[in-house]
Amino acid sequence: MSRAPELATINCTACGAGLDVLGGGRVTRHICSYCGTELDATDNYRALKKFANQARPETPFRIGMTGTVVGVDWTIVGVLQHRENWAGKTWEWIDHQLYSPTHGYAWLTLEDGHVTFARRMRGLPHSAWMSERWVETAENVPTVSIHGQRFRYLQTSTSTVSFAEGEFTWSPTSGEKTVSISALAGDSMIDFAETGTEREIHQVTWLDPAQTCVAFGLEPKAIRPKGVHPAQPYRGWKEKPFLRNVSGLAAVAALVIGLVLSFLPGTPVLEPVTTGFSQLPRTISFEITDPARRLAGIYFSSNVSNSWAYVEVELTDPQDETLFEAGRTIEYYFGRDSEGNWSEGGRYASLHFLPTVPGTYELTLTGVEQGVWGNQSRNATYVEVTAKQGMSSGTYLFLLALVFALLAALLSAGRMIHHTRRWRHSDWSDD
């Protein structure tokens, strides 16, 4: 027996309160919002049982509210609260039964400020079902293929009904256990729900909380989401992919140009001059013919062997003005251990400067300090000096490449961070 389709209101047969009839012809149970009595909608709303001591859940959505979701007008006809207890922790979420005269029934779920829309999927093969037993006994993460998408196991929840009011197409029971298994494929989410002998597969879609509130006549900030929901898609700037790609290309271009500049050979302006340390101080002259804002390089080498030598230098320009006083350490160490031969450092050092004018530059080797290390060591006896002009440096371009690379990584990190936060909800363990 079904209820009369023309009914718009009824009086609760237990407490006499007036109740709106909103849920369509498939409704079989109506739970009074005032006294909690379950009424049989197929038998003149006969009182069946009572949901006692129900604490109304905190939700801005109320029975009778209408709103447009995924392009369809829906009416909220029922409210269920689910509670899960595990490891001393409690989770609660609220399912709002939706009804549309043209699209049937669906669920609007509120959990941690996130809103999802779920509809039952029909006509799926038996192989599409992901069971609790399969999850518990699987050595690898369970996956199922549905409509060409591969869904990967996310989590299992075992909940009970702790509150019910409104119209439903079945008889909710206080404390009734529901096992729900969730799986993800990209931004798509599937729930495999089992209650008693009933099995249902729902496709779950994350809804923008502010837009959903407005759709149901609420303030945009009536609910505030916490964290990231597993079904929540990533929303970056519209320009982010363009900026990320441009930054990546700029990093590559700066790196390539920097490498080219670093390997430009320059022109020799001083053939190798060898000076014994006992002959210091000594002045060596070389000619810069075309500064053109290009670097000049001075290069040192010495016969250090498990030792070091610090050479002090002073450079003056053609006007006899001191450009700089500096020093370079040349050190080279080697040996053998349990892992084989090893070496550290090198017998070479260099410095670069920007010539101010063309002319004769004078490099004075003013002194040296030395030291040795280990048994197979000896003090160096000489230093050899060469110089070049027209050098190029890629240092600043390398720094620029690093900045662009970091920017590209930062623009890419948002999606990866979001993906990680979605999968933090997973309870799968490889142990």
Side-chain angles (χ1 to χ4, degrees):
M1 179 179 179
S2 62
R3 66 173 177 77
E6 67 274 7
L7 280 178
T9 62
I10 63 163
N11 290 326
C12 175
T13 56
C15 71
L19 304 174
D20 291 328
V21 176
L22 306 167
R26 290 178 55 197
V27 168
T28 62
R29 297 291 186 270
H30 194 138
I31 299 174
C32 179
S33 302
Y34 298 92
C35 68
T37 300
E38 180 180 333
L39 310 175
D40 188 346
T42 65
D43 188 9
N44 296 318
Y45 289 89
R46 178 171 56 90
L48 297 176
K49 59 186 177 183
K50 190 171 184 178
F51 282 79
N53 302 319
Q54 293 188 119
R56 183 176 298 279
E58 294 184 8
T59 171
F61 301 105
R62 295 287 185 262
I63 291 175
M65 281 185 172
T66 60
T68 302
V69 180
V70 295
V72 178
D73 293 333
W74 302 90
T75 300
I76 299 176
V77 300
V79 177
L80 283 179
Q81 183 180 49
H82 291 266
R83 178 176 292 131
E84 178 182 14
N85 298 301
W86 184 80
K89 297 182 180 179
T90 300
W91 293 266
E92 292 182 336
W93 60 94
I94 306 165
D95 286 336
H96 305 83
Q97 176 85 78
L98 301 179
Y99 171 68
S100 164
T102 58
H103 288 72
Y105 299 87
W107 291 103
L108 188 74
T109 300
L110 177 63
E111 182 179 11
D112 290 334
H114 290 279
V115 187
T116 58
F117 174 78
R119 290 204 68 188
R120 184 176 181 180
M121 303 179 71
R122 303 179 186 274
L124 296 177
H126 179 74
S127 60
W129 181 258
M130 185 177 290
S131 69
E132 184 181 15
R133 177 176 175 79
W134 180 15
V135 171
E136 291 177 349
T137 59
E139 295 184 1
N140 299 311
V141 182
T143 60
V144 295
S145 181
I146 298 178
H147 297 330
Q149 287 185 294
R150 177 63 62 177
F151 286 85
R152 184 171 181 263
Y153 171 79
L154 176 70
Q155 64 182 3
T156 300
S157 67
T158 302
S159 63
T160 56
V161 174
S162 57
F163 176 88
E165 71 171 355
E167 300 171 79
F168 302 96
T169 56
W170 85 104
S171 176
T173 301
S174 180
E176 183 177 38
K177 185 177 75 170
T178 299
V179 177
S180 180
I181 295 174
S182 303
L184 289 179
D187 293 334
S188 299
M189 183 172 174
I190 297 292
D191 268 355
F192 305 87
E194 186 170 6
T195 304
T197 59
E198 295 293 326
R199 287 182 172 184
E200 292 185 347
I201 301 177
H202 294 94
Q203 184 171 14
V204 180
T205 303
W206 182 86
L207 302 178
D208 182 276
Q211 293 178 6
T212 306
C213 286
V214 172
F216 281 88
L218 300 169
E219 292 295 323
K221 295 183 179 180
I223 53 178
R224 297 177 181 272
K226 300 176 183 178
V228 174
H229 190 275
Q232 184 175 348
Y234 175 69
R235 291 183 177 179
W237 310 331
K238 183 173 63 176
E239 299 84 2
K240 182 175 286 188
F242 172 76
L243 294 174
R244 180 196 61 217
N245 295 337
V246 169
S247 298
L249 290 174
V252 172
L255 178 62
V256 170
I257 296 173
L259 289 172
V260 170
L261 292 177
S262 297
F263 285 102
L264 289 178
T267 304
V269 293
L270 176 65
E271 294 300 325
V273 176
T274 301
T275 301
F277 288 144
S278 60
Q279 299 173 312
L280 299 183
R282 180 181 177 183
T283 298
I284 302 171
S285 300
F286 55 90
E287 195 78 14
I288 298 295
T289 58
D290 185 17
R293 302 198 62 79
R294 299 284 294 277
L295 292 174
I298 302 173
Y299 303 91
F300 307 90
S301 65
S302 181
N303 60 337
V304 289
S305 180
N306 271 328
S307 58
W308 59 272
Y310 177 79
V311 181
E312 299 174 347
V313 298
E314 178 183 339
L315 184 69
T316 57
D317 65 10
Q319 281 81 38
D320 202 28
E321 294 289 337
T322 299
L323 289 181
F324 59 80
E325 295 179 354
R328 285 296 181 269
T329 299
I330 310 170
E331 54 186 338
Y332 179 67
Y333 310 99
F334 60 90
R336 182 177 180 83
D337 56 21
S338 59
E339 297 181 359
N341 295 326
W342 62 270
S343 63
E344 181 180 326
R347 295 187 170 97
Y348 304 91
S350 63
L351 61 81
H352 295 85
F353 68 97
L354 188 64
T356 54
V357 293
T360 301
Y361 287 74
E362 293 187 342
L363 177 71
T364 301
L365 307 177
T366 58
V368 63
E369 296 180 12
Q370 298 190 70
V372 297
W373 175 85
N375 297 325
Q376 299 178 342
S377 60
R378 66 171 183 270
N379 278 320
T381 58
Y382 67 85
V383 61
E384 183 181 271
V385 182
T386 61
K388 292 181 179 181
Q389 68 174 348
M391 304 292 295
S392 297
S393 173
T395 301
Y396 292 109
L397 284 165
F398 292 148
L399 292 175
L400 186 62
L402 178 61
V403 170
F404 278 122
L406 290 175
L407 179 59
L410 181 62
L411 293 171
S412 301
R415 183 177 296 277
M416 292 185 291
I417 293 172
H418 180 82
H419 177 80
T420 301
R421 294 179 69 187
R422 291 174 63 217
W423 280 97
R424 281 180 182 170
H425 296 270
S426 177
D427 58 17
W428 178 263
S429 174
D430 291 322
D431 296 336

